[in-house]
Amino acid sequence: VPGVNKLIKPKTRSLLGVFEEDAAAISKYSQQLFQAMHRIYDAQNELSAATHLTSKLLKGYEKQRFPLCCDDEVMSSTLQQFAKVIDELSSCHAVLSTQLADAMMFPITQFKERDLKEILTLKEVFQIASDDHDMAINRYSRLSKRRDNEKVKGEVMEDVYTSRKKQHQTMMHYFTALNTLQYKKKMSLLEPLLGYMQAQISFFKLGSENLTQQWEDFLTDIGTSVQNVRREMAGEMDVMQQTIQDMEQANDLLYMPDPDPSLVPVNRNLTRKAGYLNTRNKTGLVSSSWERQYFFTQGGNLMSQARGDVAGGLVMDIDNCSVMAVDCEDRRFCFQITSFDAVVSLNYTVLCSSFLPQWIATINNISKRIYLSENPEEIAARVNQSALEAVTPSPSFQQRHESLRPSTQGRPPAARASSVSSAGSETASPALSVLSLDALVAPNTPIQFDIISPVSEEDAGQAKAAGLGRRTNPFGESGGTPAQESEGSILHQLFFARFLGCMEVQNAESSDVIYETMRQILAARAIHNIFRMTESHLLVTCECLKLIDPQTQVTRLRFPLSSVVLCAAHQENKRLFGFVLQTAEGRVDGRPIIVCYIFESNNDGEKICDSVGLAKQIAFHSEMDRKATEKKKEQDRAKEKQQEELSKQKQIEKDLEEQSRLIAAFSRPTPLAAGTDGQFLVLSNSQSEDSDAGVEGREKGESEA
């Protein structure tokens, strides 16, 4: 007990306080050091993961598809080399992370979690034991002097004994832990640092083994390449700056809202166009407003994109559409686009007058599907050049068709001209090297660009005299033509066709007449900016050709198949086709009227010409069969009539014979033989037969005479 009291005297408690204060300072410092080393460990793990991810991304570069970058094998191989070395570095960093975890983090973590926590636990137990000892001493001090409290006294003394023993044992363990903490403090500080430095040295040695001289040469070459790319970029920037200056000077006129058309030429060869247009939107039953949006063409579609939208939206399909300039009351420079089925019709305005013909020409080129060819702008330029050359007279027909037709060397000898004769047979077109233009189309011949519906019998008669066929009335009736004229026809083929125009020609001897008519009609349309076309359904039957309104199903024009003498498709633009009608009536001098009709179809024009030729052949064979049948019927009727005549002649002869026999029988007296007794004699049978035979012989002789 004296030793115990000596341990817990105030001087001892004062020294214990110093040790406890030192333990608290060690704990605080160790926590800060642990956090710093843990940051190193986390950073190393992050560096290892980031390095591995970088290597993975570099390996996947060759699988990327960049919209503005073509496949560069040099770049891909270079990045693969970088990925290889970075992958090796990533492995080194992973090894370093493992070494840091074992040699740096494990010692300081063990010191923090085990040794420092043990000090705190022993301190709490020592404090509890000290409190219990104080309570036991207080109870022992309050014991009474009476003998009847021996039992209580024994219990109190036992409690004092137990508490002092517990306090003494706890104090010895606690003081031992405080003394050994000074040694553990030194080890917990030096071991993590030693592990960190050894791990770094090992990492650098491993890196020096992997990064050999070969990699240093590779990095030197890459640095040189980067410098070359930087110089190329600087040169390209200089060129772009100069280009910007040149474009600003050249396009100074375009900054004006309405530049002079003579200074800004119109490009009619475009198949793509983009810009801002004002479109009319209805805001009520009568009122409307104009909205400015960005429009652009994409293939055969007209697209629009509002401000703030990521992509454009479809406005309408402009394949086979019609476009023309129109007048608007509240806006200038207006044009109208009508879809091929005439269901959608939209009005647009441009900012200045020079943009109007460009938009119209571009949409017209798209409607003809020129954009589907390999060189759309070249073909558009050729078509426009042909239209401009159409107004310039040339000395020969061959020169005028030089830009429209391919050369005869490139054409096979069996090139089909689709020349259909009136009997239904196809004939080859003869060479017209010396044929003049006036021999095909008379000069100053008017062109009809639309199908005009006659409104009276007089106009209908004039249209028939002009070779324009016959038009049914608006109620679908067909006049003198039977309503069921085509129901019994073998051939029924329907095509979609747009009427381009018709004009009178001089002859129908070859398909060059159709080619020249196509050229003149297309040139006139281009010169006068006529883009609207009448759309119809062309019905081909064995009796006639009909143009039917697709909306009302009313027959607009009807051409008897016997009047179609020629049909041909253009040799380059297969969608263009035409046929020639020849009527024997209509002129005062008796000469036939020959009119050429030109159409544009969605299908191949040669198919339509083949259909017309097939209809002609079917009609020809049907006519031949009909004539053969009628001839056979006439022969049968003549034979039956001859048989009837023979029968009548025989009957007449027979009647005459009978009549002669009767007359002879009644006119000749019968010889009678008188008997001796005055009575008649009866002849025998043999005598009667001989008499009858004699009479018949005489009658037969008279009949033969």
Side-chain angles (χ1 to χ4, degrees):
V1 174
V4 173
N5 293 330
K6 186 177 181 181
L7 287 176
I8 58 174
K9 59 185 178 179
K11 184 179 179 180
T12 303
R13 290 187 178 276
S14 176
L15 183 60
L16 179 61
V18 174
F19 273 85
E20 289 179 349
E21 184 178 357
D22 183 72
I26 292 175
S27 177
K28 181 178 180 182
Y29 179 79
S30 299
Q31 181 67 25
Q32 294 177 355
L33 184 62
F34 173 80
Q35 292 178 355
M37 291 184 176
H38 200 278
R39 290 182 60 183
I40 295 176
Y41 177 69
D42 291 341
Q44 184 60 41
N45 288 335
E46 183 66 23
L47 180 60
S48 177
T51 308
H52 179 71
L53 179 60
T54 303
S55 175
K56 184 178 179 180
L57 292 175
L58 292 178
K59 290 180 180 179
Y61 175 81
E62 58 183 2
K63 298 180 181 179
Q64 299 295 323
R65 294 295 179 266
F66 299 100
L68 298 179
C69 182
C70 58
D71 295 336
D72 191 353
E73 296 181 357
V74 177
M75 188 67 178
S76 298
S77 61
T78 303
L79 293 181
Q80 290 298 321
Q81 293 292 332
F82 271 111
K84 182 178 180 181
V85 65
I86 292 177
D87 194 15
E88 294 178 358
L89 292 177
S90 175
S91 301
C92 296
H93 284 291
V95 173
L96 178 60
S97 298
T98 304
Q99 291 178 352
L100 291 178
D102 296 337
M104 182 182 71
M105 294 304 300
F106 179 74
I108 194 171
T109 303
Q110 191 176 17
F111 175 73
K112 174 177 174 291
E113 298 295 332
R114 187 185 64 180
D115 298 336
L116 293 180
K117 283 189 176 180
E118 182 183 4
I119 295 296
L120 294 177
T121 303
L122 291 175
K123 181 180 179 180
E124 292 178 357
V125 174
F126 175 72
Q127 186 65 36
I128 294 173
S130 298
D131 294 340
D132 293 342
H133 178 262
D134 292 340
M135 292 176 61
I137 291 299
N138 291 331
R139 290 181 60 192
Y140 181 77
S141 300
R142 290 195 297 269
L143 286 176
S144 175
K145 294 180 179 182
R146 292 181 298 176
R147 295 183 180 270
D148 54 355
N149 293 331
E150 291 294 334
K151 184 178 180 180
V152 177
K153 181 180 178 182
E155 293 178 356
V156 172
M157 290 179 65
E158 182 69 21
D159 191 12
V160 171
Y161 172 78
T162 303
S163 62
R164 281 184 175 180
K165 184 177 180 180
K166 182 179 180 180
Q167 181 187 19
H168 185 249
Q169 292 177 352
T170 304
M171 180 180 62
M172 288 188 294
H173 288 291
Y174 181 42
F175 289 173
T176 302
L178 289 176
N179 290 328
T180 57
L181 181 62
Q182 301 299 319
Y183 300 98
K184 292 181 179 180
K185 177 184 71 173
K186 297 177 182 180
M187 291 187 298
S188 65
L189 293 179
L190 295 178
E191 285 183 354
L193 296 177
L194 179 62
Y196 173 75
M197 295 305 299
Q198 290 178 349
Q200 292 292 339
I201 292 173
S202 176
F203 171 75
F204 290 133
K205 287 182 179 181
L206 188 61
S208 63
E209 293 175 359
N210 293 328
L211 297 176
T212 60
Q213 183 65 31
Q214 180 181 359
W215 288 111
E216 293 181 2
D217 297 339
F218 172 73
L219 296 178
T220 303
D221 296 338
I222 296 301
T224 305
S225 300
V226 171
Q227 294 299 326
N228 294 333
V229 173
R230 191 179 301 276
R231 284 193 295 269
E232 291 179 4
M233 183 184 66
E236 186 68 21
M237 289 293 295
D238 295 338
V239 173
M240 287 190 291
Q241 291 295 332
Q242 185 63 34
T243 303
I244 291 174
Q245 294 178 3
D246 296 340
M247 292 182 65
E248 289 178 352
Q249 295 176 0
N251 298 331
D252 187 62
L253 293 175
L254 299 179
Y255 298 148
M256 296 295 295
D258 194 4
D260 188 359
S262 61
L263 299 177
V264 181
V266 178
N267 188 0
R268 300 180 181 272
N269 307 329
L270 299 177
T271 56
R272 291 182 299 175
K273 184 68 176 173
Y276 282 93
L277 297 176
N278 294 321
T279 178
R280 186 191 295 273
N281 296 325
K282 287 188 176 181
T283 58
L285 296 176
V286 181
S287 61
S288 62
S289 63
W290 292 89
E291 182 181 359
R292 187 169 181 263
Q293 284 188 1
Y294 182 80
F295 290 85
F296 61 95
T297 61
Q298 186 175 12
N301 299 324
L302 180 64
M303 314 288 288
S304 69
Q305 184 174 357
R307 183 173 298 178
D309 292 347
V310 179
L314 177 64
V315 177
M316 66 182 299
D317 183 7
I318 54 179
D319 273 343
N320 306 317
C321 72
S322 61
V323 57
M324 62 183 300
V326 295
D327 293 332
C328 295
E329 297 179 356
D330 54 346
R331 292 283 174 149
R332 301 180 301 165
F333 315 131
C334 298
F335 65 95
Q336 184 181 65
I337 304 176
T338 305
S339 61
F340 70 96
D341 52 2
V343 175
V344 181
S345 181
L346 301 175
N347 292 340
Y348 300 95
T349 65
V350 295
L351 183 62
C352 61
S353 58
S354 61
F355 292 163
L356 181 60
Q358 284 189 1
W359 274 99
I360 293 178
T362 302
I363 295 176
N364 186 40
N365 292 336
I366 295 175
S367 68
K368 296 177 181 178
R369 296 187 177 181
I370 298 179
Y371 66 91
L372 297 177
S373 58
E374 294 182 357
N375 299 317
E377 294 188 1
E378 181 180 350
I379 295 178
R382 191 189 312 170
V383 173
N384 294 328
Q385 184 66 23
S386 302
L388 294 176
E389 292 177 356
V391 297
T392 305
S394 59
S396 66
F397 174 81
Q398 193 71 16
Q399 294 178 358
R400 300 196 65 167
H401 280 276
E402 188 174 353
S403 62
L404 282 177
R405 292 190 304 171
S407 60
T408 56
Q409 289 83 357
R411 207 165 46 203
R416 179 185 167 282
S418 300
S419 175
V420 183
S421 63
S422 59
S425 62
E426 297 183 359
T427 60
S429 176
L432 297 176
S433 58
V434 297
L435 186 60
S436 64
L437 181 63
D438 295 342
L440 297 177
V441 180
N444 299 325
T445 302
I447 301 175
Q448 179 177 329
F449 294 107
D450 199 359
I451 299 177
I452 303 176
S453 174
V455 295
S456 63
E457 294 182 359
E458 180 180 359
D459 295 336
Q462 293 177 358
K464 183 178 180 181
L468 299 179
R470 183 172 57 187
R471 167 75 183 270
T472 60
N473 59 29
F475 299 97
E477 300 173 358
S478 56
T481 304
Q484 307 295 331
E485 63 176 353
S486 62
E487 290 185 358
S489 177
I490 300 176
L491 181 66
H492 281 82
Q493 289 189 347
L494 193 66
F495 302 95
F496 188 85
R498 288 177 292 277
F499 180 71
L500 296 177
C502 65
M503 61 187 303
E504 187 175 352
V505 296
Q506 295 291 342
N507 60 70
E509 296 178 358
S510 68
S511 58
D512 292 296
V513 177
I514 298 178
Y515 299 150
E516 176 62 19
T517 307
M518 289 179 181
R519 189 188 64 80
Q520 291 199 17
I521 290 178
L522 292 177
R525 279 181 168 270
I527 292 172
H528 299 289
N529 291 328
I530 301 175
F531 302 106
R532 183 180 295 276
M533 295 176 286
T534 303
E535 299 170 347
S536 304
H537 287 163
L538 177 63
L539 178 64
V540 180
T541 64
C542 296
E543 290 82 14
C544 63
L545 303 180
K546 285 185 178 182
L547 289 179
I548 302 174
D549 190 341
Q551 301 295 328
T552 61
Q553 300 301 318
V554 174
T555 302
R556 290 172 171 168
L557 288 178
R558 179 184 180 277
F559 309 105
L561 195 61
S562 59
S563 301
V564 180
V565 296
L566 195 64
C567 183
H570 198 278
Q571 295 177 348
E572 290 186 359
N573 189 357
K574 299 299 183 181
R575 295 168 58 193
L576 294 179
F577 72 97
F579 54 82
V580 178
L581 264 68
Q582 181 174 347
T583 57
E585 301 176 357
R587 290 191 185 274
V588 180
D589 55 3
R591 291 190 295 109
I593 297 177
I594 306 174
V595 180
C596 183
Y597 290 82
I598 305 299
F599 296 88
E600 182 184 22
S601 175
N602 295 340
N603 308 100
D604 193 351
E606 292 186 356
K607 294 182 180 179
I608 301 177
C609 294
D610 290 338
S611 178
V612 176
L614 179 62
K616 295 281 289 184
Q617 291 180 6
I618 294 175
F620 173 73
H621 290 298
S622 299
E623 183 67 19
M624 296 297 293
D625 294 341
R626 186 185 63 80
K627 289 183 179 180
T629 304
E630 290 181 356
K631 184 177 181 180
K632 185 177 180 180
K633 288 182 179 179
E634 290 179 359
Q635 291 176 356
D636 293 341
R637 285 196 297 267
K639 189 175 181 180
E640 291 177 358
K641 187 175 181 181
Q642 186 178 3
Q643 292 291 338
E644 291 177 359
E645 292 293 338
L646 291 175
S647 300
K648 289 181 181 180
Q649 185 68 24
K650 289 181 180 181
Q651 186 66 30
I652 291 173
E653 291 176 358
K654 187 175 181 181
D655 293 341
L656 289 174
E657 290 177 1
E658 184 69 23
Q659 186 177 5
S660 299
R661 188 177 66 79
L662 292 176
I663 292 173
F666 284 106
S667 62
R668 185 184 54 177
T670 305
L672 300 175
T676 57
D677 54 359
Q679 296 181 351
F680 294 100
L681 296 176
V682 179
L683 298 176
S684 63
N685 292 333
S686 62
Q687 293 176 347
S688 176
E689 290 177 358
D690 294 339
S691 177
D692 293 339
V695 174
E696 290 178 0
R698 288 193 300 271
E699 291 179 355
K700 185 176 181 180
E702 293 176 358
S703 173
E704 291 178 356

